[in-house]
């Protein structure tokens, strides 16, 4: 079973021993929206210059099947499943910590363990922070980080770059 990949075009800007540096233009969907003039996100996208993402990737010409040269256009990819899993951890763990610790704090307040609701609120904030720290820890794990490393999957012919 082949998993879906998120693909992006990138240009080779440097080649070092067993490393290749590629750069890709960060695209914003705001420029094509009809509400760009009245939307806050659209205004922010207009104000910021078009940024470029530069990534250094491992490179082995034998595995790729051909040698790269500076200026080549390549397709880099990430497994969609890993990106979605990572996003779920980063967004949901702090939210789950906030909600669960807030509920615990509210229950403790109702049981008159806490003297006021401010301490229950503080417990909720602590839960959100602990959820954030847990997500950060899980994201830094070696196995997970390695699966989120983009890989060069193909080199486009020079004629198709125009």
């Amino acid at each position: 079973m082949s998993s879906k990949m998120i693909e992006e075009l990138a240009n080779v800007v440097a080649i070092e021993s067993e490393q290749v540096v590629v750069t890709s233009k960060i695209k914003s969907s705001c420029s094509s929206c009809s509400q760009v003039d009245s939307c806050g996100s659209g205004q922010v996208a207009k104000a910021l210059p078009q940024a470029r993402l530069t990534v250094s990737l491992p490179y082995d010409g034998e595995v790729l099947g051909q040698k790269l040269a500076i200026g080549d256009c390549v397709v880099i990819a990430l497994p969609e499943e890993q990106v979605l899993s990572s996003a779920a951890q980063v967004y949901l763990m702090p939210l789950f910590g906030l909600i669960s610790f807030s509920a615990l704090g509210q229950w403790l307040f109702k049981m008159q363990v806490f003297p006021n609701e401010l301490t229950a609120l503080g417990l909720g904030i602590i839960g959100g922070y602990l959820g954030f720290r847990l997500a950060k820890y899980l994201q830094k794990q070696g196995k997970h980080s390695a699966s989120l490393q983009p890989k060069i999957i193909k080199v486009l012919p020079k004629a198709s770059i125009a």
Side-chain angles (χ1 to χ4, degrees):
M1 182 174 116
S2 169
S3 66
K4 284 187 169 185
M5 300 290 272
I6 298 173
E7 298 179 355
E8 181 69 35
L9 292 176
N11 292 317
V12 176
V13 294
I15 300 173
E16 300 159 4
S17 65
E18 298 185 16
Q19 293 285 319
V20 62
V21 179
V22 298
T23 184
S24 175
K25 185 176 177 183
I26 297 174
K27 299 173 191 79
S28 171
S29 60
C30 289
S31 61
S32 63
C33 177
S34 64
Q35 301 295 320
V36 71
D37 292 327
S38 61
C39 172
S41 295
Q43 295 302 314
V44 170
K46 279 183 181 179
L48 296 176
Q50 293 296 326
R52 295 184 103 38
L53 175 66
T54 302
V55 180
S56 180
L57 303 172
Y59 166 63
D60 185 0
E62 295 173 11
V63 172
L64 193 56
Q66 69 186 88
K67 288 278 189 188
L68 289 177
I70 293 176
D72 281 348
C73 187
V74 296
V75 177
I76 57 176
L78 284 170
E80 185 178 74
E81 182 180 321
Q82 293 297 326
V83 173
L84 293 175
S85 170
S86 180
Q89 283 181 355
V90 168
Y91 287 108
L92 296 178
M93 284 187 172
L95 187 61
F96 179 74
L98 174 73
I99 292 171
S100 60
F101 276 61
S102 294
L104 176 65
Q106 196 63 28
W107 180 77
L108 290 172
F109 172 70
K110 281 189 172 195
M111 295 309 216
Q112 298 180 344
V113 174
F114 286 161
N116 55 36
E117 284 193 56
L118 192 56
T119 52
L121 175 67
L123 189 62
I125 291 170
I126 290 170
Y129 178 73
L130 290 175
F132 163 75
R133 296 298 297 186
L134 178 62
K136 187 175 180 179
Y137 172 77
L138 292 173
Q139 292 299 307
K140 287 189 174 187
Q141 294 301 305
K143 182 182 93 172
H144 190 72
S145 295
S147 65
L148 287 172
Q149 175 72 33
K151 293 174 181 49
I152 299 173
I153 59 171
K154 69 178 142 177
V155 180
L156 297 178
K158 297 264 185 206
S160 70
I161 297 173

